[in-house]
Amino acid sequence: MNKKQKMLLFGAAAVVLCMVALVVVLILRDQQTVQAVNDAQARADSLAVANDRLVLTNEFNQLSAEFNQYEGQQMYLKNDSLVQKYNQARMKVEGLIQELNAEKAKNVRTSKDLAATRAKIKQLEGEVATLKGIVRHYLEEIKRLGEENAGLKQEIQQEKQRNEQLSTQVTQATASNAELTQTVKLAKKLNITGVSFHAYNKKGKTEKNITKAKSLGVQFTVSPNNTAAPGMKTFYMRILTPEGSLLSGGGSFTMDGQTIQATAQRSVEYANEELPVAIYWDVNTTLTPGDYTVEVFCDGYRLASRHFTMTK
């Protein structure tokens, strides 16, 4: 082999080696590109999984907040199974979220792990959807009960107003009846006129000097009253001295639940016609000049109260 042939042979070998080297470089570069693509895809898948987990976690927290907002009204629910279903579904969702968070902490990026995580996320989506339905039903039930309670409160308020109106009517009727009763009672009250007061000496004649009086007398006339019940009527006389002392000796009577002492009394037959009456009291004490108060009572009423000035 001559020198020229050797040079051609070495040149060809060099070209072949260069081509082989180029092929090797291209293969290695392709493998790196594929690995880079795979890594990028894995990161994208991991980010997608993390995003899905975050979205579902936020939805669960929002549902829990909505439910807890009306948790105090559970006592008004007639269907306790609704609350039980909610609690069971919530526990499932909480368990799946805890599992996903545990896998996130492991920081595993294999396709097998990502597939398992996606499966749990899919299951979590179903559980969250179930939870949404329960919460929606729960809130609708609470709203319905709220409307029923509002209607019941309105009925109670209306009934209260009716009771108040009825109570007012009863009070007015009672007052009217009491007024009517009082009117009828007053209509039965006897009326007297011409009340006079005199002192008498031992001969039964009028005595101007009160200190020499042996008896005191009150005269009056009972007016006709067809409303009053006829029959025996007892008239009570009270005489108060200028010093304010009661001249006693006439027994007692009752008026407004109280026992009152009398100076003298007299019973007469009343026939709903005009009737003159005189009541006397024998003096048994020393009398002094001044203003004397004379009161007349009958049937529990004070018929008259007069003042008379007696001199010496």
Side-chain angles (χ1 to χ4, degrees):
M1 183 180 296
N2 56 30
K3 184 177 181 181
K4 186 176 182 180
Q5 289 177 335
K6 290 180 179 180
M7 291 179 64
L8 289 174
L9 182 59
F10 286 132
V15 170
V16 171
L17 290 174
C18 289
M19 292 180 66
V20 170
L22 179 60
V23 170
V24 171
V25 170
L26 291 175
I27 291 173
L28 292 176
R29 183 177 297 175
D30 289 340
Q31 290 179 347
Q32 292 176 351
T33 300
V34 171
Q35 184 62 39
V37 170
N38 290 337
D39 291 343
Q41 184 63 42
R43 285 194 296 272
D45 291 342
S46 179
L47 289 174
V49 167
N51 181 70
D52 292 341
R53 179 173 55 240
L54 181 60
V55 170
L56 292 174
T57 301
N58 289 337
E59 287 186 3
F60 170 71
N61 292 336
Q62 184 178 357
L63 290 172
S64 296
E66 290 180 5
F67 189 88
N68 292 335
Q69 183 179 357
Y70 297 94
E71 190 172 6
Q73 302 184 33
Q74 289 183 11
M75 64 182 68
Y76 300 111
L77 283 177
K78 298 178 181 179
N79 185 9
D80 293 336
S81 62
L82 185 63
V83 179
Q84 295 176 357
K85 289 180 180 179
Y86 170 81
N87 290 330
Q88 293 172 357
R90 183 183 62 183
M91 290 177 63
K92 286 183 179 180
V93 173
E94 288 178 348
L96 289 172
I97 291 176
Q98 289 176 1
E99 291 179 8
L100 289 174
N101 290 335
E103 291 182 357
K104 177 183 177 183
K106 293 178 183 177
N107 199 22
V108 178
R109 293 290 187 269
T110 65
S111 58
K112 183 178 179 180
D113 292 333
L114 289 175
T117 302
R118 287 196 184 97
K120 283 187 175 136
I121 287 178
K122 192 69 176 176
Q123 183 182 358
L124 182 59
E125 289 175 349
E127 296 296 340
V128 169
T130 300
L131 194 60
K132 283 183 180 179
I134 294 175
V135 171
R136 187 182 304 111
H137 186 191
Y138 177 85
L139 296 182
E140 290 175 354
E141 185 73 4
I142 290 296
K143 181 180 179 181
R144 183 183 66 80
L145 289 174
E147 293 174 351
E148 288 183 359
N149 289 338
L152 182 59
K153 288 181 179 179
Q154 185 176 4
E155 291 179 4
I156 293 175
Q157 182 63 27
Q158 292 174 351
E159 188 65 24
K160 182 180 179 181
Q161 291 176 353
R162 286 194 291 268
N163 290 338
E164 290 177 351
Q165 292 174 355
L166 181 60
S167 177
T168 301
Q169 293 174 359
V170 170
T171 301
Q172 292 174 348
T174 302
S176 178
N177 290 338
E179 183 178 356
L180 180 61
T181 301
Q182 183 66 17
T183 300
V184 172
K185 190 175 180 181
L186 290 175
K188 295 180 179 180
K189 174 185 175 183
L190 296 177
N191 293 316
I192 62 175
T193 59
V195 180
S196 62
F197 177 62
H198 299 284
Y200 300 94
N201 57 29
K202 61 182 180 179
K203 295 181 179 181
K205 295 184 179 182
T206 303
E207 176 63 58
K208 294 182 179 180
N209 188 345
I210 189 64
T211 62
K212 296 181 179 181
K214 298 301 180 180
S215 64
L216 300 176
V218 174
Q219 296 80 28
F220 54 87
T221 301
V222 182
S223 301
N225 186 351
N226 293 328
T227 307
M232 292 299 296
K233 300 290 183 181
T234 300
F235 294 89
Y236 296 90
M237 173 184 69
R238 280 170 55 89
I239 301 176
L240 298 175
T241 66
E243 294 78 21
S245 300
L246 175 69
L247 301 179
S248 60
S252 63
F253 61 95
T254 302
M255 188 177 74
D256 296 332
Q258 294 182 348
T259 300
I260 300 176
Q261 299 296 320
T263 301
Q265 59 176 283
R266 183 181 179 186
S267 296
V268 294
E269 183 76 22
Y270 178 68
N272 302 106
E273 298 176 351
E274 185 174 276
L275 177 67
V277 179
I279 306 175
Y280 296 95
W281 176 79
D282 293 333
V283 177
N284 56 16
T285 185
T286 302
L287 301 178
T288 59
D291 290 334
Y292 284 75
T293 300
V294 176
E295 297 176 323
V296 180
F297 298 82
C298 183
D299 294 336
Y301 292 102
R302 184 168 63 179
L303 306 184
S305 179
R306 303 286 190 273
H307 297 285
F308 297 92
T309 300
M310 308 301 287
T311 61
K312 183 175 180 180

